Amino acid sequence: MRVLLDIQQKLLPDLLDVMVKRFKILQYIRLMQPIGRRSLSTNLQMSERVLRTEVTFLKDQGLVHFATSGMTVTPSGEALFYQLEDVMKELLGLRNLEEQVELKLGVKKVLVVAGNSDEDHWVKHELGRASVAELKAKREPSDVIAVMGGTTLAAVAEMMTPDVGMRDVTFVPARGGLGENVENQANTISAELATRAGAQYRLLHVPDQLSEDAYSSLVLEPSIGDILKLIKSARVVIHGIGEANTMASRRGSKSTFIEKIEREQAVAEAFGYYFNREGDIIHKQRTIGLQLDELDNKYVISVAGGESKAEAISAYMKYRPSDVLITDESAARRLLEIE
């Protein structure tokens, strides 16, 4: 495949450029459908005149359908998209990028999607789609899948699709469900994943951060104890990686705490733990749910994208490399630059 692409690049470079352009148009329509031509033109930063020619070609090929509500991808377009994905990874250099990041971070498997989720919201949906594919590929009968909260995991939930093979799978929140905007809470996301997949779910109705006394009291409650036992039995865990300051602010932390993590140069947060650039834990918040030392013997999927997240990803992976890292092109390239 690589040899053929290299030959085509030398003999017919324009052909490959056109293929990449049409693939990206198909990709964006698929993610945002139904979508109008003007909105598509703006998001792809392509003139309406050029775009009109391209989408008309895709329509004539039976890959895209036009309607008053907007453009959608046809079943034939969907099938072609999946056939093209591996070719595009080679063509865009993403396969090589994945291998380099695997070596750099010591991660068994890295999946890189094109784009920069800091700039384009649709890239988060691509991260979500890749995450859903990984979850479905790794799920086993009667699995328990623990899910963390955050905006990236919310995008993962949006991309989940029905799957009869997941009927006996149970999604659970990996931590307490209160403390953030409701759409970003682990409870909401695990329920959304289960509902869209046609799976089961259980919720954990407790605050995200607790005092020592409150924690000791809550874990003695039978209903809380049962769900915590289920959470800790999870075989698969999927979580995001946040920038330390952003996460502290989003959770309404006191200014003294924010000053503390800035002083100690925290750059990453995951599971309530804050890490510096070397991957050392500099602070741990008391949370109810899965702890970092309980991830052994679990299949851990980390999802984080955007160039701004690269330093956070690097710091967390120094502490505990995951089984899979799903990220985007901009974060991957920045990761290779970090000393």
Side-chain angles (χ1 to χ4, degrees):
M1 176 66 75
R2 182 68 259 174
V3 173
L4 178 60
L5 289 173
D6 286 342
I7 292 171
Q8 286 181 319
Q9 186 68 58
K10 291 173 183 175
L11 294 178
L12 297 163
D14 292 347
L15 174 65
L16 293 181
D17 290 342
V18 170
M19 188 164 70
V20 169
K21 178 169 64 176
R22 289 175 180 167
F23 175 80
K24 287 183 175 179
I25 292 171
L26 198 62
Q27 178 186 46
Y28 199 91
I29 295 173
R30 183 179 174 277
L31 287 169
M32 306 304 292
Q33 60 189 341
I35 184 171
R37 196 165 57 210
R38 181 171 297 177
S39 178
L40 184 61
S41 169
T42 301
N43 282 284
L44 289 174
Q45 297 181 335
M46 188 181 297
S47 73
E48 283 197 55
R49 181 181 61 81
V50 171
L51 184 65
R52 185 185 304 112
T53 301
E54 296 299 340
V55 295
T56 299
F57 173 84
L58 294 176
K59 175 180 177 291
D60 292 342
Q61 295 298 312
L63 305 175
V64 171
H65 173 69
F66 288 7
T68 52
S69 58
M71 294 175 284
T72 57
V73 174
T74 66
S76 296
E78 189 86 12
L80 180 67
F81 177 84
Y82 282 117
Q83 289 175 327
L84 272 175
E85 271 197 301
D86 283 343
V87 176
M88 287 299 114
K89 279 212 164 192
E90 290 286 355
L91 198 55
L92 298 172
L94 300 184
R95 189 75 71 203
N96 181 52
L97 195 56
E98 289 171 346
E99 293 171 358
Q100 290 183 66
V101 175
E102 286 169 1
L103 287 172
K104 177 75 180 281
L105 300 183
V107 177
K108 297 174 189 174
K109 180 179 179 181
V110 172
L111 297 174
V112 175
V113 304
N116 181 354
S117 51
D118 284 342
E119 297 176 355
D120 299 306
H121 183 68
W122 65 268
V123 180
K124 274 197 175 180
H125 287 97
E126 277 296 280
L127 289 172
R129 192 171 65 84
S131 301
V132 166
E134 185 66 21
L135 281 175
K136 289 186 176 184
K138 290 300 177 182
R139 63 117 168 86
E140 294 181 359
S142 302
D143 248 348
V144 176
I145 300 176
V147 183
M148 294 294 282
T151 57
T152 303
L153 269 293
V156 173
E158 285 183 47
M159 300 309 294
M160 178 57 81
T161 54
D163 189 332
V164 292
M166 299 189 82
R167 284 178 180 171
D168 60 351
V169 169
T170 302
F171 286 90
V172 294
R175 64 192 294 171
L178 308 177
E180 290 194 51
N181 293 335
V182 66
E183 63 271 18
N184 296 330
Q185 291 174 13
N187 266 338
T188 304
I189 293 167
S190 57
E192 182 78 2
L193 281 164
T195 301
R196 286 176 179 261
Q200 312 299 312
Y201 66 89
R202 294 282 301 278
L203 302 180
L204 179 61
H205 294 294
V206 296
D208 188 27
Q209 299 174 28
L210 299 166
S211 67
E212 190 69 42
D213 289 343
Y215 178 85
S216 300
S217 175
L218 274 172
V219 295
L220 294 176
E221 290 289 330
S223 60
I224 300 297
D226 288 345
I227 182 65
L228 283 176
K229 185 176 179 180
L230 184 63
I231 291 169
K232 293 177 192 300
S233 75
R235 190 185 65 84
V236 178
V237 178
I238 182 167
H239 73 100
I241 301 170
E243 297 170 86
N245 277 14
T246 301
M247 297 306 297
S249 299
R250 204 167 80 193
R251 290 178 179 150
S253 300
K254 294 180 180 178
S255 58
T256 52
F257 174 72
I258 294 176
E259 289 168 6
K260 175 184 183 295
I261 62 172
E262 287 178 347
R263 187 169 59 251
E264 297 183 17
Q265 299 183 327
V267 296
E269 186 277 339
F271 295 92
Y273 294 74
Y274 288 80
F275 306 85
N276 63 17
R277 287 180 178 83
E278 287 69 46
D280 301 321
I281 295 173
I282 63 167
H283 182 80
K284 177 190 178 304
Q285 290 185 319
R286 167 61 73 183
T287 59
I288 191 164
L290 272 181
Q291 307 299 312
L292 272 180
D293 58 5
E294 296 172 329
L295 297 182
D296 293 339
N297 303 316
K298 299 186 187 301
Y299 191 78
V300 181
I301 303 170
S302 300
V303 192
E307 186 176 352
S308 63
K309 288 275 189 77
E311 199 165 43
I313 295 168
S314 174
Y316 175 76
M317 292 298 166
K318 285 177 183 174
Y319 179 82
R320 190 192 187 284
S322 300
D323 294 286
V324 183
L325 168 64
I326 300 174
T327 190
D328 62 26
E329 185 179 1
S330 64
R333 295 194 185 284
R334 178 70 188 109
L335 278 164
L336 297 178
E337 296 172 356
I338 295 173
E339 293 296 330

